């Protein structure tokens, strides 16, 4: 839920959040979802770029939340502070149900070294593709060394968001065709590490074999994603998973790879912000009695939807061909 | 893959396609994915609005394709012509795998009363949200009385596309939490009919109970989606499913409901076209040496991404606040 504050107040909030004030951090995260996102980003942007951002994605039910939960435990054993952003592009209707999942992670709620935050589409002005990188940036700027970015499902928006991480963990399960479904969802090409979770179940060897076979067929330049077997519910393999994640971090540190990867993300982010702002323009024009009159004409088949849209753009002086 | 033709040729193709020329129909469907979509829509739009469009959506692996396949058989028993549009917003990488699924439906390939077409994001200029309704419109305009619109997964784009159908069938499976996952994906609120597929498996009663319980909690005004048990692989329940689909069609026929539903879709479609056209503008400006120079500045933390995007919009004379 977006809140409004004086721009000068943002610097104070930032200073407090950097000084481990959790309420100030929560407030910054709320502001960054709203119309003042730009003010927050201006204030904190020079202080960003230090955190290792690790994305977790996979089909609903694959055990992402449990794995993130176990990852928090793993990092805390080494006394590493960790922030979690769980992004959820669900509809308003189902939003409540998903945020309920997060309750499980509250086992860490008394640990000052852990900060967990959920972000839903409806709360995020301009969409998750714009808002999620900014929330990650807030965690980064207040000094969290590791930020876990978890998606609820594997839709296009979620894949777009999770790709902004430095290291992407794709969670798959044993079971017929799960690896193939992951490939179908476009997860194979974004994975830096595979977590074969629930690997105590039947079919784990088959699933691992499927993944390796698909990786064999993939033209890869420099990094082949390791396949790590985990049982998140009892912690098995979570240390191996983090060894693989750190391996990828070390790989990125060489030859300017991290710099180049982040630059690609920056380009994508600027495009997303531009597109979002133009969407605002579009919504302004696709509203009101003039718009309804136009839809009436389309309904009567007097004009078709494409010509109708063209007319709106011309009225707005926004025709792409001008 | 989009092809280019003389605009006057489109009318000829349309006349031929209406006269059961399958090659002409395939050509129209190709054109409508490309930059000449507007020309096709202009030509055919007055002849649309007759088909009953039935959307099928559900998680990957739920058996949507098999159910669509069985539905074709069911409709053909009554000698009803049917067209299928399978939309697949997958990445270029995985596109091939999914289109392979469609091969299964080729069992109907010798039946002149069946026409099956796949549409992937990469082929569809302007995105599936714009292209899919136009492809459906082509089927409608050439006289197909029933169009089945199938999505591969349940991402935001797929939900947006399938919602343009007159009747939406949501396919779920028995198994712990499947109904809950469907709710999470936002499928509960878009369903007009539930197909509980693979209902010969353990947990069917539980899944049906979960769905009914969730429907009990949903504020519904006029129509409660029936839950129909199917086993698509052997055809069980497919006749019941179509009875439920026809029941929904009859419901829509009353009190102008279909007219109002389609009007909502039209409004959404015009907005999608406007947004897509503005996206073209955005892409024009987020490219080239000027854009790269700006990203350099962001990379050096001299300017933040939001101010950078703002500068692009100002240069383009497209600032939303102007």
């Amino acid at each position: 839920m977006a809140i409004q504050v004086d721009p000068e107040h943002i610097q104070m909030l930032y200073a407090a959040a950097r000084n481990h004030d959790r309420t100030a951090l929560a407030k910054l995260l709320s502001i960054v979802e709203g119309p003042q996102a730009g003010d927050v980003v201006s204030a904190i942007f020079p202080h960003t770029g230090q955190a290792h951002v690790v994305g977790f994605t996979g089909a609903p039910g694959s055990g992402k939340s449990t794995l993130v939960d176990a990852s928090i435990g793993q990092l805390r054993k080494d006394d590493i502070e960790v922030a979690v952003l769980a992004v959820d592009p669900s509809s308003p209707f189902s939003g409540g149900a998903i945020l309920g999942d997060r309750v499980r992670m509250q086992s860490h709620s008394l640990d000052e070294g852990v900060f967990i935050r959920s972000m839903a589409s409806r709360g995020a002005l301009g969409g998750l593709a714009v808002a999620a990188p900014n929330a990650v940036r807030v965690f980064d700027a207040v000094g969290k060394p590791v930020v876990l970015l978890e998606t609820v499902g594997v839709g296009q928006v979620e894949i777009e968001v999770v790709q902004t991480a430095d290291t992407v963990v794709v969670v798959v399960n044993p079971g017929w065709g799960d690896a193939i479904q992951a490939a179908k969802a476009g997860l194979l090409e974004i994975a830096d590490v595979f977590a074969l979770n629930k690997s105590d179940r039947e079919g784990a060897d088959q699933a691992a074999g499927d993944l390796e076979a698909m990786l064999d067929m993939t033209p890869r330049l420099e990094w082949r994603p390791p396949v790590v077997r985990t049982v998140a519910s009892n912690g098995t393999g979570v240390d191996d998973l983090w060894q693989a994640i750190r391996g990828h971090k070390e790989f990125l540190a060489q030859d300017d790879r991290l710099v180049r990867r982040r630059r690609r993300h920056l380009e994508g982010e600027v495009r997303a912000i531009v597109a979002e702002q133009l969407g605002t323009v579009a919504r302004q024009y696709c509203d009101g009695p003039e718009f309804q009159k136009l839809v009436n004409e389309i309904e009567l088949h007097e004009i078709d939807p494409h010509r109708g849209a063209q007319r709106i753009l011309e009225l707005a002086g926004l025709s792409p061909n001008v």
Side-chain angles (χ1 to χ4, degrees), chain A:
Chain A
M1 308 307 102
I3 53 173
Q4 291 267 346
V5 296
D6 287 339
E8 63 260 41
H9 193 52
I10 288 170
Q11 283 291 357
M12 283 173 54
L13 283 173
Y14 171 57
R18 231 194 130 81
N19 208 19
H20 304 281
D21 179 336
R22 295 172 74 87
T23 312
L25 176 52
K27 216 163 181 176
L28 278 178
L29 290 165
S30 293
I31 301 169
V32 96
E33 287 191 14
Q36 290 186 291
D39 295 330
V40 176
V41 175
S42 286
I44 65 171
F45 191 64
H47 312 286
T48 57
Q50 300 307 310
H52 183 209
V53 183
V54 183
F56 284 79
T57 192
S62 59
K64 287 181 304 290
S65 296
T66 317
L67 203 54
V68 166
D69 198 25
S71 293
I72 296 171
Q74 179 74 22
L75 291 161
R76 294 303 295 145
K77 268 198 281 184
D78 297 330
D79 209 28
I80 298 168
E81 280 193 48
V82 56
V84 178
L85 182 71
V87 296
D88 170 8
S90 63
S91 61
F93 177 85
S94 58
I98 305 203
L99 297 180
D101 272 10
R102 300 284 93 70
V103 173
R104 195 156 22 102
M105 291 205 278
Q106 302 308 321
S107 54
H108 302 285
S109 65
L110 293 175
D111 182 346
E112 288 285 324
V114 180
F115 198 101
I116 297 169
R117 177 85 176 194
S118 287
M119 180 183 270
S121 283
R122 53 179 164 169
L125 194 80
L128 291 170
V130 171
N134 286 337
V136 168
R137 216 160 249 152
V138 169
F139 284 133
D140 182 358
V142 303
K144 303 291 175 195
V146 179
V147 181
L148 309 183
L149 179 60
E150 179 198 340
T151 70
V152 168
V154 289
Q156 281 192 323
V157 175
E158 284 144 307
I159 287 180
E160 198 181 332
V161 166
V162 84
Q163 276 197 82
T164 63
D166 299 322
T167 301
V168 176
V169 179
V170 169
V171 185
V172 293
N173 293 157
W176 188 84
D178 201 73
I180 293 153
Q181 298 296 351
K184 283 189 183 186
L187 297 181
L188 215 58
E189 60 196 326
I190 67 161
D192 299 306
V193 175
F194 283 102
L196 180 54
N197 194 36
K198 305 184 186 178
S199 66
D200 53 344
R201 293 200 183 165
E202 207 182 326
D205 289 342
Q206 176 71 43
D210 285 353
L211 280 174
E212 297 288 0
M214 285 193 287
L215 290 172
D216 287 341
M217 293 185 300
T218 314
R220 281 270 168 183
L221 296 167
E222 298 174 309
W223 174 261
R224 184 181 167 112
V227 178
V228 184
R229 297 187 190 209
T230 59
V231 185
S233 55
N234 66 20
T236 302
V238 177
D239 46 353
D240 296 336
L241 177 65
W242 277 88
Q243 214 166 325
I245 291 169
R246 286 197 193 97
H248 183 251
K249 188 187 175 189
E250 283 161 23
F251 165 80
L252 285 179
Q254 297 154 23
D255 301 330
D256 265 352
R257 286 188 191 111
L258 183 62
V259 173
R260 280 181 283 134
R261 185 174 174 126
R262 286 183 172 175
R263 186 185 169 96
R264 274 205 314 278
H265 298 164
L266 267 186
E267 291 177 7
E269 190 185 354
V270 174
R271 286 197 185 97
I273 299 168
V274 169
E276 188 271 318
Q277 296 272 310
L278 289 175
T280 307
V281 179
R283 278 189 296 278
Q284 283 168 4
Y285 284 98
C286 291
D287 200 18
E290 276 300 312
F291 178 68
Q292 291 304 330
K293 208 178 125 227
L294 182 75
V295 178
N296 288 347
E297 290 177 44
I298 299 173
E299 207 172 25
L300 295 168
H301 289 197
E302 290 171 5
I303 182 173
D304 70 76
H306 283 255
R307 300 254 184 278
Q310 206 54 47
R311 202 202 282 174
I312 289 171
L313 288 163
E314 280 159 15
L315 281 174
L318 285 172
S319 185
N321 303 319
V322 180

